[in-house]
Amino acid sequence: MNKKNIPVSEYKDVRGLLKRYVEALRTGNADSMSGIFHKDVVTHGIVDGELVGGTGNLAAEFIRAHGASPEITSHIDILDITPVTAVVRIITENDAIGSDCCEYLNLIKTGGRWSVFSKAFLQFDK
């Protein structure tokens, strides 16, 4: 039996949330990250060959430390989605410090809203 379980609207909601994330990076508005990342988000990644990360919204901290990324470009792939979880890959180029990154985001839907609850990323060598 071929049954469609996830309506297109869920994909649009996930993509819309992550477009807001990239736009916050572009404008340098850390306050607009509110609601994108779950309050208990965990982020880890490789920067200059070293593991960095921890709890909290490290993307907002990046904006506060480095400002806007007016030249950033991105590509968003929704790799999988269920009624309450999603896995997404975002490729970004030319952030505030001129870096390119690959991010894997795990999202969860609680209270009818999507949010990022974990992020693993790689900052490519310059």
Side-chain angles (χ1 to χ4, degrees):
M1 185 174 236
N2 295 319
K3 183 178 178 188
K4 181 179 80 131
N5 293 320
I6 308 300
V8 171
S9 62
E10 292 295 338
Y11 288 87
K12 288 181 178 180
D13 289 349
V14 167
R15 187 173 303 281
L17 181 77
L18 297 175
K19 284 183 176 180
R20 283 183 40 219
Y21 166 54
V22 173
E23 187 60 20
L25 292 169
R26 181 184 334 283
T27 62
N29 185 349
D31 293 337
S32 65
M33 290 274 185
S34 177
I36 295 172
F37 289 86
H38 189 275
K39 66 179 181 64
D40 297 321
V41 66
V42 175
T43 301
H44 286 89
I46 303 296
V47 175
D48 297 327
E50 299 292 324
L51 179 66
V52 299
T55 59
N57 188 342
L58 301 182
E61 291 178 26
F62 177 86
I63 290 173
R64 288 185 192 99
H66 303 289
S69 302
E71 304 301 320
I72 196 168
T73 58
S74 65
H75 176 78
I76 299 169
D77 289 312
I78 299 173
L79 303 176
D80 200 7
I81 191 167
T82 73
V84 296
T85 62
V87 179
V88 177
R89 176 181 55 213
I90 301 179
I91 304 295
T92 59
E93 295 177 344
N94 204 21
D95 66 14
I97 60 172
S99 292
D100 301 339
C101 294
C102 177
E103 304 178 8
Y104 291 93
L105 307 169
N106 289 296
L107 288 80
I108 193 160
K109 187 175 186 181
T110 56
R113 296 182 45 178
W114 289 101
S115 62
V116 176
F117 71 90
S118 70
K119 172 180 161 179
F121 71 95
L122 167 67
Q123 180 188 65
F124 294 105
D125 295 337
K126 293 182 185 180

